[in-house]
Amino acid sequence: MPEVMFAIYHKDGNVRGIVAVVKSLASAISIGTGASVGREGPIIQIGASFGSTIARAFRVVRWQKITLLSAGAGAGIAATFNTPLGGVLFAVEMLLPEVSNRTFLPVVVATATATYAGRIAFGLDPAFIVPLARQEMLTPADPLQLLAYAGLGILAGCASWAFIRTLAWCEDLFPKLPGNDYVQNIIGMLFIGVLAYALFLTTGQLHTAGVGYATIQDILNATPYTMALLAVLFIAKIIATSVSLGAGASGGVFSPSLFIGATLGGLVGTACNYMFPGHGFTAVEFALVGMGALVGGATGASMTAIVMIFEMTRDYNVIVPLVLAVAIAVGIRRALIQDNIYTIKLRHRGRAIPTNRHTNMYLVRPVHEVMARNFIILPVDTPVQDALEALHARNGAHIIVSEEGRIAGVVRVGTFPIRRTGWQGRRCAIFCRATSSSRPKTTSSIR
């Protein structure tokens, strides 16, 4: 994902076609051999490579190239997770610098087409089967549950911060280790193997190896995981994913975020059910909300997180607490650290991208509302004393200096405070700074 964002803002939307081939092979090897990474990161880059390659083949302009790149990435997400709306929102929130009809429509067409093709190949089932989702909701959520969901949002925001910091630390640590990239990868994967084997000996499953969907599905199936095990898996997945990506494994962070959120939510739900047994707390619903809150907090894509969790589980019963927890998680994470899990890597490279990547309409104002009108135009050889008198007569604050009919410079007056009172003393102080003189020279020009 950071590579795609880098291509949009620093490489004019150019992603080489060979990336799709190499990334497919590298990611298959990484995930297949147990690296604790997700499969959505590679499909984003693969889809972006398709879109960029097609755009270059037709020699389209830069904004069209970026639109096709974003459409390819969103289509990859939609087909992989069977989430057409989530794919569209992902492209809009994370990739498109501009959202309008000319950029939105191609993304919608691409994601709808990819979802249809994916359903032909993989079927219509959602990514996760949630038996509890089939039960009809008869009453609104208990107020105590809403408070617990809000608390889960706070914890998810803190967990997102911890995940981002741990990943950034590992990505800085491994290049400093002895040996080349291959030796560093061997060290990292050895650690991942030892961690997975230790969990296998103690729990009977390789929880942190690979994508981790089996563990998430167990939690959603209401498998009775203890609070101690959920806490261990929560911490272990953060470490395993950070080490895997820091050591150079090819993969994404979306699926690990789902895993981390499910274990955190399951832990909170189990603890609340233990403390308040008569209020209908279930680990399954809290795991669902935790998944969305962690994804939203880590990536900053709040709407994508909400819609994708609904599409991946088809459980509409948790939509209200899901919106609440995601909003709180994103706010807490932004208060702790401005960068999300994607942009922090680019910032460490010295190639940061804009924090707010879409136009804020509350900041858009007509030019006539912000342009200064209290200016005068004077020739470059105007004496300072004459300039001061002209400013005083016209109550101006700016001088546009002209030379041979062209703008030679601009002098802004009244910027620096001084102790003397009166308009002339204040403006003289400004001109003294401009001419590097301790006292104004009335014979000098404003040049």
Side-chain angles (χ1 to χ4, degrees), residues 33-44:
T33 54
S36 184
V37 293
R39 65 188 186 189
E40 80 296 328
I43 199 61
I44 292 172

Side-chain angles (χ1 to χ4, degrees), residues 5-34:
M5 301 174 88
F6 178 81
I8 291 175
Y9 289 94
H10 297 287
K11 295 178 64 177
D12 296 329
N14 292 318
V15 180
R16 294 179 300 165
I18 191 63
V19 169
V21 179
V22 175
K23 200 68 178 177
S24 299
L25 179 62
S27 301
I29 293 174
S30 293
I31 297 173
T33 54

Side-chain angles (χ1 to χ4, degrees), residues 386-405:
D386 294 347
L388 293 174
E389 292 176 355
L391 280 172
H392 179 57
R394 305 181 192 180
N395 195 26
H398 307 273
I399 299 175
I400 296 178
V401 184
S402 65
E403 184 175 16
E404 298 180 357

